[in-house]
């Protein structure tokens, strides 16, 4: 019935609009006769782009630094498996950073050698039970130290540790000095008690003698001063002997420097109190429960919270070395939950050098196990690793960044952590890191090592490209141009090229990114260079060709620009020939192994998939008027398309055969004298006849479209008439009616 209706519609098209005779009831209403331009436009609408599936990328079964398909040999890449112990860390790098270089004193400190030299009022204060008490004690000591070091009394009242107020009046200097000296003795004795003897770099050796000497004072009518000698001070703070209303510049600078030094000492004193009350009990707890992993984890959590509360995270913490030594020893416990807690604390202490490398390896080792994803998510390890990427230098710490980026790559394999990355701005951060790497030129000594880091980075971006918010960020951040720069610089690194091409393959499926990529003028040259260099690397070639198909699908300017690139068509035909031969060899091997009676595999083979994508590019290019007319005259292009129809049946590979027929249909539209389609019209008609007689309706429709263009040649119509089959006879009548209507 379908064929009958089509035949009737074709016969009606030959009738004149002015016919006055009555028409049979079964004739369809005659439409208004179309103009020549309308007929041409209608014929042009038959030209179609070809769609296809994005190449499938299987997920690696194991989490490794480099995937199973990596071309990097074991000797040319950092290891994915390693052992970590406390000995992997360098204790020498854990020393605290001093804010001021202290100059030696020109006097000899007086050490306490006997109990006689000590004041009888020395007592050992009990640590306060609450944090509020800690702050009170710290404030009192800060005030006391500030007063004694300046040698001047800036306030009328001093709050001592015992909370007693001592009035400083010009009438009672002796009483004030006596009380002040006693309070200082108490504090110094306490300080010696809690200061480790072996930590010479930070131990205060105080001269307990407090003397009153005659000199001028800043206060009105006050005379006398006292000296408070500290080993390790930059200067011995002395009272200037000049009139305070006319201070000399050198004296003023000395006072300012003293203030700065005293401020640092006061901060250290507050740390010491907090260390004894808050930190030391937790460290003692860690030593007692070494065999209980759960309790160790809880203690580490409390330790991190306490350090954060006391503002002791970072490099300026004076007890940093002691703390890190304890943490490094716990690495030998070899528990992933515990090591996760340790990584978080150690990274927060801002380690560098060998220690940064070791802790990043430890994080990598934890994230390599997929079972740890839940605890990694709960402990917010991602924040710590992103902080490392944000702050560390790619030249100095490139290996540490490699394992840090590897850990983040493993996290991106988890859907929850992947969304968390987007929310924390990981996309922009990774693009900034890529820009830094792109600024390193090939002659740089770090260029090769940074290639390993770029593999991890691009693998992470590939996973992020699946999320719509990440795609928007990639487009807005100019990812297309930056990826092209990296691709051009690393054209010899197949691993980097493969990951970048996978990213572009995903993103180019969306029109907005396609437009951004098309604006990169050198992208076509770059893609052609990669195709010529890696012709037989199927996973790389198929994705580049897929990207070219996306670029030329809806952008007429992209079609023209790519076609004008040097050797563009020759590159496509050369690839087609290469994979055609590979497919023939594979088909021969298959028949020899399985027997001729076996059907072909349902899914396209790797070689067939490449040819499908290549034909798609040719079909999309042929829509452009000038490009299509030129391609119709290229012998090699038409011959390869006809070859597909010759050696492939639609049952073998439906998509390949239909795409070839669609491309021939596009090329047959152009009526140019040098058209190869016209020269081979009979041979093409013979090949399409098999498709026309098949049971695949999609194939039949494509064959009919081609015959619609070829039926204007009498040779083709005569060929069809010679075939004494009902479907061929119907088609001959239909094509004749179409020709007559035109």
């Amino acid at each position: 019935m379908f064929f009958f209706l089509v035949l009737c519609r074709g016969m009606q098209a030959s009738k004149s609009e002015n016919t006055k005779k009555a028409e049979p009831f079964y004739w369809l209403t005659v439409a208004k006769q179309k103009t020549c331009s309308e007929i041409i436009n209608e014929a042009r609408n038959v030209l179609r782009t070809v769609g296809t599936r994005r190449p499938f990328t299987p997920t690696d079964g194991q989490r490794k630094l480099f995937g199973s398909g990596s071309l990097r040999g074991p000797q040319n890449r950092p290891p994915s498996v390693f052992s970590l112990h406390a000995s992997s860390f360098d204790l020498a790098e854990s020393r605290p950073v001093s804010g001021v270089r202290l100059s030696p004193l020109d006097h000899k400190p007086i050490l306490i050698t006997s109990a006689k030299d000590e004041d009888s009022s020395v007592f050992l204060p009990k640590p306060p039970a609450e944090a509020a008490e800690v702050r009170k004690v710290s404030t009192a000591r800060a005030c006391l130290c500030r007063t004694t070091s300046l040698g001047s009394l800036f306030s009328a009242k001093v709050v001592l540790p015992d909370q007693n107020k001592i009035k400083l009046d010009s009438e009672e200097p002796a009483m004030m000095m006596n009380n002040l000296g006693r309070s200082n003795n108490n504090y110094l004795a306490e300080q010696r008690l809690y200061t480790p003897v072996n930590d010479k770099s930070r131990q205060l050796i105080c001269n307990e003698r407090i003397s009153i000497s005659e000199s001028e004072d800043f206060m009105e009518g006050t005379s006398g001063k006292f000296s408070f000698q500290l080993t390790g001070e930059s200067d011995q703070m002395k009272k200037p002997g000049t009139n305070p209303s006319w201070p000399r510049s050198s004296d003023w600078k000395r006072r300012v420097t003293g203030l700065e030094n005293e401020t640092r000492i006061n901060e250290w004193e507050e740390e010491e109190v907090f260390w004894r009350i808050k930190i030391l009990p937790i460290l003692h707890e860690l030593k007692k429960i070494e065999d209980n992993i759960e309790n160790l984890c809880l203690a580490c959590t409390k330790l991190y919270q306490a350090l954060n509360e006391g503002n002791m995270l970072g490099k300026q913490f004076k007890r940093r070395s002691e703390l890190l030594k304890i943490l490094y020893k716990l690495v030998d416990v070899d528990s992933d939950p515990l090591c996760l807690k340790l990584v978080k604390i150690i990274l927060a202490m801002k380690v560098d050098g060998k220690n940064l490398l070791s802790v990043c390896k430890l994080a990598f080792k934890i994230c390599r196990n997929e079972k740890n994803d839940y605890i990694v998510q709960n402990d917010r390890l991602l924040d710590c690793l992103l902080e490392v990427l944000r702050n560390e230098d790619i030249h100095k710490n490139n290996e540490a960044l490699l394992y840090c980026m590897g850990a983040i790559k493993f996290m991106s394999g988890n859907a929850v952590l992947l969304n968390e990355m987007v929310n924390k701005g990981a996309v922009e951060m990774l693009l900034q890191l890529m820009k830094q790497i792109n600024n390193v030129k090939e002659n740089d000594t770090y260029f090769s090592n940074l290639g390993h880091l770029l593999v991890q980075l691009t693998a992470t971006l590939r996973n992020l490209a699946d999320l719509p918010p990440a795609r928007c960020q990639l487009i807005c951040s100019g990812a297309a141009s930056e990826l092209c720069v990296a691709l051009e610089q690393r054209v010899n690194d197949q691993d980097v090229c493969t990951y970048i091409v996978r990213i572009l393959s995903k993103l180019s499926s969306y029109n907005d990114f396609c437009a951004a990529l098309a604006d990169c003028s050198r992208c076509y040259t770059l893609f052609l260079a990669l195709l010529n260099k890696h012709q037989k690397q199927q996973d790389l070639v198929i994705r580049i060709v897929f990207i070219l198909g996306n670029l030329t699908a809806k952008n007429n300017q992209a079609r023209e620009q790519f076609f004008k690139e040097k050797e563009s068509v020759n590159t496509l035909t050369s690839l087609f020939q290469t994979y055609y031969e590979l497919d023939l060899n594979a088909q021969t091997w298959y028949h020899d192994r399985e027997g001729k009676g076996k059907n072909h595999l349902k899914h396209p083979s790797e070689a067939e998939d490449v040819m499908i994508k290549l034909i798609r590019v040719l079909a999309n290019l042929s829509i452009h008027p000038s490009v299509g007319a030129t391609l119709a005259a290229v012998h090699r292009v038409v011959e390869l398309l006809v070859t597909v129809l010759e050696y492939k049946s639609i049952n073998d590979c439906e998509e390949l055969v239909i795409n070839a027929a669609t491309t021939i249909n596009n090329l047959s539209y152009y009526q140019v004298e040098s058209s190869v389609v016209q020269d081979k019209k009979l041979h093409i008609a013979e090949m399409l006849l098999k498709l026309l007689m098949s049971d695949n309706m999609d194939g039949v429709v494509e064959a009919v479209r081609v015959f619609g263009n070829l039926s204007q040649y009498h040779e083709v119509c005569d060929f069809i008439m010679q075939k004494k089959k009902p479907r061929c006879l119907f088609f001959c009548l239909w094509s004749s009616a179409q020709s007559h209507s035109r």
Side-chain angles (χ1 to χ4, degrees):
M1 186 63 182
F2 168 76
F3 295 112
F4 176 75
L5 290 175
V6 174
L7 180 60
C8 291
R9 189 178 290 273
M11 293 175 66
Q12 284 294 337
S14 64
K15 295 292 182 178
S16 172
E17 182 184 4
N18 298 324
T19 302
K20 302 297 184 181
K21 295 180 180 180
E23 297 176 347
F25 70 92
Y26 52 83
W27 280 17
L28 302 179
T29 303
V30 179
K32 181 180 178 181
Q33 188 171 359
K34 296 179 180 179
T35 64
C36 295
S37 62
E38 289 175 340
I39 293 173
I40 292 173
N41 290 333
E42 187 179 87
R44 269 200 65 82
N45 290 334
V46 177
L47 301 181
R48 299 183 305 113
T49 58
V50 175
T52 187
R53 296 184 299 272
R54 183 168 59 84
F56 173 70
T57 303
T59 305
D60 287 336
Q62 295 180 343
R63 292 184 175 184
K64 295 181 179 179
L65 194 61
F66 298 94
S68 56
S70 174
L71 295 182
R72 282 170 163 77
Q75 68 280 3
N76 297 325
R77 66 185 186 188
S80 295
V81 180
F82 41 78
S83 59
L84 281 173
H85 305 285
S87 58
S88 303
F89 295 85
D90 187 1
L91 299 180
E93 294 181 3
S94 304
R95 295 171 182 169
V97 178
S98 176
V100 177
R101 179 178 292 277
L102 304 178
S103 58
L105 298 176
D106 55 359
H107 75 288
K108 295 181 180 180
I110 300 175
L111 303 179
I112 298 174
T113 57
S114 66
K116 295 180 180 180
D117 296 332
E118 298 187 10
D119 191 270
S120 58
S121 62
V122 173
F123 65 96
L124 298 179
K126 297 181 180 179
E130 297 180 356
E133 295 297 327
V134 175
R135 289 193 292 271
K136 292 179 182 178
V137 173
S138 301
T139 305
R141 284 176 181 158
C143 184
L144 172 62
C145 240
R146 189 177 299 111
T147 304
T148 57
S149 62
L150 287 175
S152 301
L153 303 178
F154 291 121
S155 63
K157 297 180 181 180
V158 177
V159 181
L160 295 179
D162 58 0
Q163 301 298 316
N164 293 326
K165 297 181 180 179
I166 302 177
K167 297 184 179 180
L168 301 180
D169 194 289
S170 58
E171 298 177 356
E172 299 176 340
M175 183 186 302
M176 180 272 294
M177 285 305 184
N178 192 21
N179 292 337
L180 184 60
R182 185 178 296 107
S183 300
N184 281 331
N185 289 339
N186 294 342
Y187 169 71
L188 295 172
E190 178 189 347
Q191 185 64 40
R192 286 194 304 273
L193 177 64
Y194 287 100
T195 302
V197 178
N198 58 349
D199 195 354
K200 298 180 180 179
S201 63
R202 296 177 298 171
Q203 181 177 2
L204 282 175
I205 305 175
C206 301
N207 183 2
E208 302 246 339
R209 299 179 185 176
I210 300 179
S211 62
I212 304 177
S213 60
E214 296 181 359
S215 104
E216 296 181 1
D217 195 25
F218 288 118
M219 306 284 293
E220 294 181 0
T222 303
S223 62
K225 71 171 186 177
F226 56 88
S227 62
F228 185 59
Q229 299 175 349
L230 299 175
T231 299
E233 291 268 345
S234 61
D235 284 309
Q236 191 174 3
M237 302 301 296
K238 295 183 178 180
K239 193 72 178 175
T242 59
N243 193 322
S245 61
W246 299 95
R248 293 180 301 177
S249 60
S250 59
D251 293 337
W252 177 252
K253 291 179 181 178
R254 190 180 300 112
R255 294 169 197 164
V256 173
T257 304
L259 281 170
E260 293 176 352
N261 293 342
E262 287 301 325
T263 300
R264 296 180 185 277
I265 293 176
N266 294 338
E267 291 174 353
W268 175 36
E269 291 166 359
E270 293 176 5
E271 284 183 357
E272 286 295 310
V273 176
F274 192 89
W275 169 270
R276 293 194 306 271
I277 297 174
K278 288 284 188 176
I279 307 299
L280 276 179
I282 301 176
L283 297 182
H284 291 320
E285 184 180 351
L286 286 173
K287 293 180 181 180
K288 294 178 181 178
I289 54 174
E290 291 184 355
D291 298 333
N292 192 318
I293 302 298
E294 184 177 354
N295 290 338
L296 283 173
C297 291
L298 291 175
C300 286
T301 300
K302 291 192 294 184
L303 177 61
Y304 181 86
Q305 293 172 349
L307 291 170
N308 188 41
E309 178 187 350
N311 197 25
M312 295 179 175
L313 298 174
K315 290 187 175 183
Q316 300 300 327
F317 177 37
K318 298 297 181 181
R319 299 269 188 178
R320 178 172 178 268
S321 178
E322 301 171 30
L323 176 63
L324 287 174
K325 288 178 183 178
I326 297 172
L327 298 177
Y328 294 157
K329 291 179 181 179
L330 291 175
V331 174
D332 289 335
V333 177
D334 195 21
S335 165
D336 284 350
L338 175 60
C339 286
L340 180 58
K341 304 287 185 182
L342 298 176
V343 167
K344 189 174 179 180
I345 300 174
I346 295 171
L347 286 178
M349 301 303 294
K350 306 299 181 185
V351 296
D352 55 11
K354 182 180 178 181
N355 292 336
L356 179 61
L357 172 59
S358 297
V359 73
C360 287
K361 283 185 172 181
L362 191 58
F364 175 87
K365 184 179 178 182
I366 295 167
C367 296
R368 188 174 58 199
N369 188 348
E370 191 173 354
K371 296 179 180 179
N372 292 333
D373 284 355
Y374 181 74
I375 60 173
V376 167
Q377 177 186 347
N378 288 343
D379 258 323
R380 310 182 74 84
L381 177 62
L382 178 61
D383 295 340
C384 303
L385 297 182
L386 291 178
E387 188 70 16
V388 173
L389 290 184
R390 185 183 294 110
N391 297 326
E392 296 301 330
D393 182 73
I394 62 172
H395 297 87
K396 180 182 176 182
N397 297 311
N398 62 83
E399 190 175 0
L401 289 175
L402 168 68
Y403 286 101
C404 176
M405 193 68 244
I408 294 176
K409 179 187 72 174
F410 294 153
M411 291 184 191
S412 68
N414 180 281
V416 176
L417 291 170
L418 189 65
N419 281 282
E420 188 177 342
M421 287 183 192
V422 178
N423 297 332
K424 294 182 181 298
V427 174
E428 292 87 349
M429 194 182 305
L430 294 181
L431 287 178
Q432 287 298 324
L433 182 59
M434 181 181 290
K435 288 180 181 179
Q436 295 179 40
I437 297 174
N438 289 343
N439 290 333
V440 178
K441 304 306 177 185
E442 191 171 0
N443 56 358
D444 196 297
T445 55
Y446 296 99
F447 184 81
S448 178
N449 290 336
L450 290 176
H452 302 320
L453 174 59
L454 195 56
V455 170
Q456 312 305 314
L457 192 155
T458 50
T460 307
L461 282 178
R462 179 199 63 182
N463 294 336
L464 286 167
D466 288 327
L467 300 180
R471 287 197 297 268
C472 294
Q473 294 175 20
L474 287 169
I475 295 170
C476 297
S477 302
S481 59
E482 210 61 47
L483 288 168
C484 287
V485 171
L487 196 59
E488 187 171 9
Q489 290 185 351
R490 305 282 173 171
V491 68
N492 295 318
D493 191 332
Q494 189 173 323
D495 289 347
V496 173
C497 291
T498 300
Y499 280 115
I500 293 178
V501 167
R502 285 177 177 175
I503 297 170
L504 296 176
S505 173
K506 288 184 176 184
L507 296 177
S508 64
S509 300
Y510 302 91
N511 295 335
D512 46 1
F513 186 85
C514 246
L517 183 58
D519 290 338
C520 301
S521 57
R522 288 188 52 79
C523 71
Y524 303 106
T525 304
L526 179 59
F527 290 146
L528 289 172
L530 288 170
L531 290 175
N532 287 314
K533 187 174 184 64
H534 305 287
Q535 274 204 4
K536 293 190 176 180
Q537 299 298 326
Q538 188 268 348
D539 57 339
L540 186 61
V541 168
I542 192 172
R543 287 169 176 81
I544 295 176
V545 178
F546 177 74
I547 296 167
L548 291 174
N550 292 337
L551 289 171
T552 56
K554 296 182 180 180
N555 192 329
N556 225 23
Q557 184 179 356
R559 295 165 188 151
E560 183 178 7
Q561 191 172 352
F562 174 76
F563 181 76
K564 288 182 178 179
E565 290 289 340
K566 186 179 179 180
E567 298 295 319
S568 58
V569 176
N570 289 339
T571 299
L572 296 179
T573 54
S574 175
L575 282 172
F576 200 106
Q577 182 66 35
T578 299
Y579 283 90
Y580 162 69
E581 293 174 357
L582 289 173
D583 186 55
L584 279 180
N585 295 335
Q587 199 171 22
T588 302
W589 178 87
Y590 177 82
H591 285 300
D592 292 344
R593 187 176 181 85
E594 301 293 336
K596 294 183 179 180
K598 300 288 184 180
N599 293 327
H600 199 276
L601 297 175
K602 292 182 179 180
H603 296 289
S605 64
E606 292 182 352
E608 287 173 339
D609 209 6
V610 173
M611 288 190 289
I612 289 170
K613 271 62 175 180
L614 282 167
I615 291 176
R616 177 184 178 228
V617 177
L618 293 173
N620 294 347
L621 289 173
S622 63
I623 295 177
H624 191 283
S626 60
V627 175
T630 305
L631 288 176
V634 178
H635 284 268
R636 191 64 184 143
V637 171
V638 179
E639 287 174 357
L640 288 172
L641 294 172
V642 174
T643 300
V644 172
L645 299 178
E646 288 176 346
Y647 91 104
K648 284 288 182 185
S649 70
I650 197 167
N651 294 327
D652 290 336
C653 187
E654 177 181 340
E655 188 176 4
L656 179 60
V657 174
I658 290 178
N659 284 5
T662 302
T663 309
I664 291 175
N665 174 57
N666 289 354
L667 296 177
S668 65
Y669 167 80
Y670 300 100
Q671 306 297 321
V672 291
E673 294 181 359
S674 57
S675 173
V676 181
V677 177
Q678 293 182 19
D679 296 341
K680 295 180 174 293
K681 54 184 174 291
L682 288 178
H683 185 53
I684 292 174
E686 186 176 357
M687 294 298 102
L688 288 173
L689 192 60
K690 297 188 298 182
L691 192 58
L692 184 66
M693 301 304 299
S694 69
D695 295 331
N696 189 303
M697 289 309 299
D698 292 333
V700 171
V701 170
E702 289 301 327
V704 168
R705 284 174 174 157
V706 181
F707 276 117
N709 289 332
L710 297 180
S711 61
Q712 55 188 312
Y713 302 107
H714 294 291
E715 297 93 329
V716 175
C717 292
D718 293 340
F719 169 77
I720 295 175
M721 290 296 295
Q722 292 174 6
K723 303 298 178 180
K724 298 179 180 180
K725 294 183 179 180
R727 189 178 294 184
C728 293
L729 181 60
F730 149 77
F731 180 75
C732 181
L733 294 173
W734 179 82
S735 59
S736 298
Q738 289 294 99
S739 298
H740 182 69
S741 65
R742 292 185 184 179

